[in-house]
Amino acid sequence: MRRAVVLQASDLLVRGDLAVPPDTVDPEGRPVNTLLAAVKALRRTLKMKTPDTAIAVLGPPPPALAEQAARYPELLGLHGFPTVQADDPTAVAASYVNRARQDGMDVVVVGYDKRLGQLVSDNVWFYDAYKDVR
């Protein structure tokens, strides 16, 4: 069965801000703590399940994360996740999940917004990449 991964990428970014100390910086001195945590969660997801198709849904970042969020789509793309910008990322992620399910795919929803758990069914499951919990 083909597999789709729908990444609620905004969730990973916001939650990543809490996961790595804020003094983590790149060689130019720019903060990267949020990006580091989000990419680690993304790689954990890819290590567990390799998708045939994938999408990352991004919403407007909190102002404190704007600098790191601007670099996030490029990192997602390097990992094979095209991005979609949305005012309501949860609703857009749900739309992608439903479309993949209708196409007969096994769907992995990655994020931590528990509202996405409403989509869980026989071929749709929810994965919290920070807790490594399915």
Side-chain angles (χ1 to χ4, degrees):
M1 179 177 280
R2 293 182 57 221
R3 175 170 294 120
V5 171
V6 178
L7 183 70
Q8 215 301 17
S10 299
D11 280 359
L12 296 185
L13 190 68
V14 170
R15 191 156 177 203
D17 191 49
L18 305 172
V20 175
D23 60 349
T24 305
V25 296
D26 70 8
E28 286 108 35
R30 297 179 297 184
V32 293
N33 62 306
T34 299
L35 292 172
L36 178 62
V39 168
K40 283 182 178 182
L42 177 61
R43 288 183 177 171
R44 192 174 303 116
T45 299
L46 291 173
K47 185 176 180 180
M48 181 188 62
K49 297 288 182 184
T50 303
D52 295 297
T53 186
I55 191 77
V57 183
L58 290 168
L65 299 181
E67 180 182 354
Q68 292 184 70
R71 299 165 65 191
Y72 196 31
E74 179 183 0
L75 291 172
L76 291 165
L78 291 171
H79 287 87
F81 284 81
T83 59
V84 173
Q85 297 285 336
D87 288 332
D88 185 351
T90 301
V92 172
S95 176
Y96 277 98
V97 168
N98 287 328
R99 187 177 319 153
R101 185 174 56 194
Q102 289 172 356
D103 289 342
M105 301 180 88
D106 178 47
V107 186
V108 179
V109 182
V110 182
Y112 78 93
D113 185 336
K114 301 307 181 212
R115 293 179 296 169
L116 292 170
Q118 298 174 52
L119 302 170
V120 172
S121 67
D122 289 339
N123 291 342
V124 178
W125 54 281
F126 184 80
Y127 178 65
D128 183 329
Y130 280 100
K131 291 183 179 178
D132 194 23
V133 173
R134 177 180 171 178

